Amino acid sequence: MGREDFIFTSESVSEGHPDKICDRISDAILDFCLEKDKLARVACETFSTTNTVVVGGEVGFSTGLEFNSLKPEIDELVRKVVKEIGYEQEGFHWKNLKISNLIHQQSSDISQGVDRDGAGDQGIMFGYAVEETPELMPAPLHYAHMILKELAEARHKGIEKNLGPDSKSQLTLRYKNGKPVSIESLVLSTQHIDPNLSSADVRDIVEPYVKKVVPLEWLSENTSWHINPTGKFVIGGPDGDAGLTGRKIIVDTYGGAAPHGGGAFSGKDPTKVDRSAAYVARYIAKNIVASKVASRCLIQLSYAIGVAEPLSIYVDTFDSSKVEERRLERLISELVDLTPKGIIERLNLRKPIYEKTSAYGHFGRSPEDNGSFSWEKTDLVDKIRSMI
């Protein structure tokens, strides 16, 4: 049994954070390739610094399409992403970017294993769900995401003209009897346009948005607010700090409330189990919690490159399950085909649905009609209940 009374912290970063810019560019390139060929194999990485973006990695098309012919379109795609995020500052402007495109053909050594419907790499992946929010996500991370998402929407709508694209949030929650009951501290650093704004001025801007999304009963006079604690934050994005794809994997998943297998998601097509198996593990964990079989569920899957079936399935419900965990482990394979091909078909992953996953978390989002966030569906609940 885990601790019932404790304090726990998670952080989020905005779409304009240097690493998140890179995640979005990598996923935009992935979507672009999937639009050209739904069977495209993509592993794309992005690096950004002052007025510079470098993309690299590998792409393979089943149609025989040559990636080199698409490079001018990729350059324009990179500029489009940076423009949509909102960067028009001297040290990072979508018009002035120097773009280096180093993407090449996928390795035949990798493709031969995937061609046999095997996993695109070895690795371990985790899925997690918990009854702390309606989305069955850890509360500190969920609300840290929501704060930044609200601020970004206000910025994009022109409501808050003094906010810049780059921001970070961090929430520390107090738990009693295993449930979140109060916000002990809130840290929010956001880029601003007017260099004369003080930390107090920025707090006046952001506080209404914080109060719009967090449970108000969790805020009190004892909540410690740290808004732009270093003072001025005018130079943001890759001009202030270099960015790289895949450096925010804890922000992308469960905020540290659950283990992470170590593999990043962005820029990878669904044959890469780093991504697809993490999605299906979340899907199964969420359905187990949504079915009320357990109030908290962690699932681990493991794979070997070129091998289709998972090497292991592990379930931990932290003593919250009505069913023995070994039984749940046996049931999981009956519920879902856990081969890469089975996961892709179950969640309908061969679609250009990935760019929007690149900020504010891959989990805890609402499934959309176009297939986005299909792993957040709870369509296994009735079947789980009938099987136990």
Side-chain angles (χ1 to χ4, degrees):
M1 176 71 74
R3 292 172 60 190
E4 293 292 296
D5 299 335
F6 57 94
I7 293 173
F8 193 81
T9 303
S10 293
E11 71 159 352
S12 179
V13 296
S14 72
E15 63 191 40
H17 184 279
D19 296 330
K20 283 288 136 198
I21 296 170
C22 294
D23 284 344
R24 181 164 171 180
I25 290 171
S26 294
D27 275 333
I29 292 172
L30 169 61
D31 283 352
F32 172 81
C33 293
L34 290 173
E35 286 172 351
K36 299 288 184 183
D37 175 7
K38 69 177 185 178
L39 298 178
R41 306 267 176 76
V42 182
C44 178
E45 310 288 344
T46 304
F47 166 76
S48 63
T49 187
T50 302
N51 272 331
T52 301
V53 171
V54 180
V55 293
E58 54 186 30
V59 171
F61 290 109
S62 67
T63 59
L65 181 65
E66 287 292 329
F67 186 79
N68 285 341
S69 67
L70 303 175
K71 284 191 173 183
E73 293 178 72
I74 294 295
D75 287 359
E76 288 308 306
L77 180 61
V78 170
R79 295 187 195 281
K80 178 175 177 285
V81 167
V82 174
K83 182 179 181 181
E84 287 180 355
I85 292 171
Y87 275 106
E88 294 186 344
Q89 61 193 48
E90 183 179 353
F92 199 73
H93 195 300
W94 61 273
K95 283 184 179 179
N96 304 327
L97 291 177
K98 177 185 176 183
I99 300 169
S100 296
N101 189 334
L102 306 177
I103 298 174
H104 58 81
Q105 190 72 20
Q106 184 185 47
S107 162
S108 60
D109 290 347
I110 292 175
S111 65
Q112 66 182 350
V114 182
D115 289 341
R116 297 192 299 267
D117 294 326
D121 201 354
Q122 71 176 53
I124 56 176
M125 300 84 203
F126 289 92
Y128 183 69
V130 62
E131 289 181 339
E132 291 183 12
T133 65
E135 296 78 11
L136 304 183
M137 285 290 288
L141 178 67
H142 174 72
Y143 291 111
H145 283 325
M146 292 298 294
I147 290 167
L148 296 185
K149 199 171 182 183
E150 281 292 323
L151 292 176
E153 288 178 4
R155 177 175 60 85
H156 283 302
K157 291 176 180 177
I159 297 170
E160 298 296 347
K161 300 181 187 300
N162 247 318
L163 294 180
D166 194 357
S167 58
K168 300 179 75 171
S169 63
Q170 183 173 290
L171 281 181
T172 299
L173 300 191
R174 179 174 294 277
Y175 285 71
K176 288 187 177 180
N177 299 318
K179 302 292 184 183
V181 296
S182 65
I183 298 174
E184 295 296 291
S185 67
L186 183 151
V187 182
L188 179 58
S189 295
T190 181
Q191 184 184 8
H192 53 92
I193 308 303
D194 183 349
N196 297 313
L197 290 182
S198 66
S199 296
D201 294 330
V202 175
R203 176 168 175 172
D204 288 340
I205 294 172
V206 303
E207 187 169 342
Y209 297 98
V210 172
K211 291 182 174 179
K212 181 179 178 181
V213 297
V214 305
L216 291 178
E217 65 271 20
W218 290 0
L219 292 170
S220 73
E221 60 183 14
N222 295 321
T223 301
S224 180
W225 292 66
H226 301 277
I227 308 299
N228 280 18
T230 62
K232 187 169 68 172
F233 183 7
V234 175
I235 299 172
D239 189 33
D241 189 10
L244 193 65
T245 299
R247 278 204 304 206
K248 288 293 177 284
I249 58 177
I250 302 303
V251 170
D252 285 342
T253 53
Y254 306 105
H260 194 294
F265 300 157
S266 289
K268 297 177 181 178
D269 75 79
T271 67
K272 309 293 191 299
V273 284
D274 277 343
R275 183 168 217 158
S276 55
Y279 285 178
V280 82
R282 160 65 179 176
Y283 173 63
I284 297 168
K286 184 176 182 181
N287 274 271
I288 287 172
V289 174
S291 70
K292 303 297 183 182
V293 170
S295 61
R296 185 180 172 200
C297 182
L298 174 72
I299 291 175
Q300 184 204 59
L301 304 174
S302 69
Y303 290 84
I305 188 167
V307 179
E309 296 289 343
L311 304 184
S312 65
I313 301 171
Y314 168 78
V315 176
D316 188 352
T317 60
F318 308 90
D319 295 333
S320 72
S321 179
K322 300 173 184 176
V323 179
E324 186 182 28
E325 287 154 340
R326 287 190 182 89
R327 186 177 176 194
L328 288 175
E329 289 168 354
R330 292 193 297 269
L331 290 177
I332 284 173
S333 293
E334 298 176 36
L335 280 169
V336 179
D337 179 352
L338 292 174
T339 65
K341 181 180 178 181
I343 295 168
I344 289 167
E345 291 177 353
R346 162 72 69 167
L347 300 179
N348 201 7
L349 297 178
R350 292 198 186 278
K351 287 185 171 184
I353 56 174
Y354 298 103
E355 184 178 348
K356 63 181 63 177
T357 68
S358 61
Y360 314 116
H362 290 246
F363 307 125
R365 311 281 288 273
S366 297
E368 298 179 7
D369 292 340
N370 68 351
S372 298
F373 305 104
S374 58
W375 49 93
E376 291 297 314
K377 292 180 179 178
T378 52
D379 54 355
L380 294 178
V381 166
D382 291 340
K383 191 171 184 179
I384 290 172
R385 289 173 177 166
S386 71
M387 292 173 72
I388 61 173

